[in-house]
């Protein structure tokens, strides 16, 4: 499969316009768990890179959370752990609600979701240079776009045919992931008060 910048841009735009169709196409690729885990690691790194660029371009630090300044390495660990857990929580929660998706399906839609997220962050980085206000508005629009995409991705992945059930799955999965990730990060020493990494 030859992937060019033009084809990747077209695919990501198509996923934003018609997320359900994009999810079906991505699930048909069947690239294998090994390749998809590598893809997840790549989008996690790109996510950190985009955030670092956004922080550099923004008049105010964007990594600061409640007085905490995260290093890129800390943020990379948080993103990686969160995405890893999210793959399994979306799979298990969806299954408990009658879904039919597999772990590979869950991994695929998370990679697709994160690819769209990174692309939107890249646009926001460019907008910050032009106008921080416009970039902030774009950030809110991007959040709405990402939620819409993810709800449709989960719906297709688990064959729900119900966006309400898909939204519920996503909400419970994110809550569960946040709770488990919080425990894991605390054990690793990355605490909300500052972190050691």
């Amino acid at each position: 499969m030859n992937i060019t910048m033009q084809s990747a841009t077209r695919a990501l735009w198509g996923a934003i316009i018609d997320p359900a169709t994009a999810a079906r196409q991505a699930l048909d690729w069947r690239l294998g768990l090994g390749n998809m885990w590598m893809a997840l690691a790549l989008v996690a790194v790109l996510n950190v890179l985009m955030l670092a660029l956004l922080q550099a371009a923004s008049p105010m630090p964007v990594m600061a959370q409640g007085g905490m300044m995260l290093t890129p390495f800390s943020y990379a660990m948080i993103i990686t752990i969160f995405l890893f857990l999210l793959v399994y929580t979306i799979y298990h929660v969806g299954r408990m609600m009658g879904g039919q998706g597999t772990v590979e399906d869950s991994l695929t839609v998370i990679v697709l979701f994160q690819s769209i997220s990174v692309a939107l962050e890249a646009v926001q980085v460019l907008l910050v240079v032009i106008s921080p206000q416009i970039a902030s508005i774009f950030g809110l629009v991007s959040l709405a776009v990402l939620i819409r995409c993810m709800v449709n991705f989960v719906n297709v992945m688990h064959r729900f045919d119900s966006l309400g059930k898909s939204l519920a799955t996503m909400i419970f999965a994110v809550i569960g992931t946040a709770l488990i990730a919080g425990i894991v990060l605390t054990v690793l020493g990355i605490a909300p008060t500052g972190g050691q990494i």
Side-chain angles (χ1 to χ4, degrees), residues 1-188:
M1 180 186 297
N2 293 324
I3 299 177
T4 64
M5 181 65 70
Q6 183 178 6
S7 64
T9 301
R10 187 165 55 246
L12 291 174
W13 177 248
I16 293 173
I17 298 300
D18 188 357
T21 298
R24 293 188 191 96
Q25 292 173 343
L27 292 173
D28 285 341
W29 291 346
R30 298 296 172 193
L31 299 178
L33 280 173
N35 290 327
M36 295 312 298
W37 282 121
M38 289 177 60
L40 186 69
L42 175 61
V43 292
V45 170
L46 290 175
N47 195 306
V48 174
L49 176 61
M50 287 299 108
L51 190 78
L53 290 174
L54 190 59
Q55 182 190 27
S58 297
M60 301 213 32
V62 297
M63 283 190 185
Q65 301 280 343
M68 173 179 64
M69 180 66 76
L70 293 175
T71 66
F73 182 70
S74 297
Y75 187 73
M77 285 192 66
I78 291 172
I79 287 294
T80 302
I81 290 170
F82 188 87
L83 292 179
F84 176 83
L85 293 172
L86 187 60
V87 168
Y88 287 98
T89 54
I90 284 181
Y91 164 70
H92 286 294
V93 172
R95 282 284 189 167
M96 286 188 288
M97 297 185 70
Q100 303 175 40
T102 65
V103 171
E104 184 177 348
D105 292 340
S106 182
L107 181 54
T108 300
V109 298
I110 293 299
V111 169
L112 180 59
F113 173 80
Q114 278 298 305
S115 298
I116 296 171
S117 177
V118 168
L120 292 175
E121 286 174 354
V123 174
Q124 190 173 9
V125 168
L126 295 176
L127 289 177
V128 164
V129 177
I130 300 171
S131 169
Q133 291 75 21
I134 294 177
S136 296
I137 295 173
F138 181 82
L140 294 176
V141 173
S142 296
L143 179 60
V145 168
L146 289 171
I147 291 174
R148 174 176 174 267
C149 286
M150 194 60 188
V151 169
N152 278 275
F153 291 168
V154 173
N155 190 52
V156 171
M157 167 198 159
H158 279 300
R159 290 85 163 167
F160 280 146
D161 292 326
S162 168
L163 293 180
K165 186 179 287 188
S166 175
L167 178 61
T169 297
M170 191 178 75
I171 291 172
F172 286 126
V174 170
I175 292 173
T177 299
L179 292 173
I180 299 171
I183 295 172
V184 173
L185 292 171
T186 299
V187 171
L188 292 176

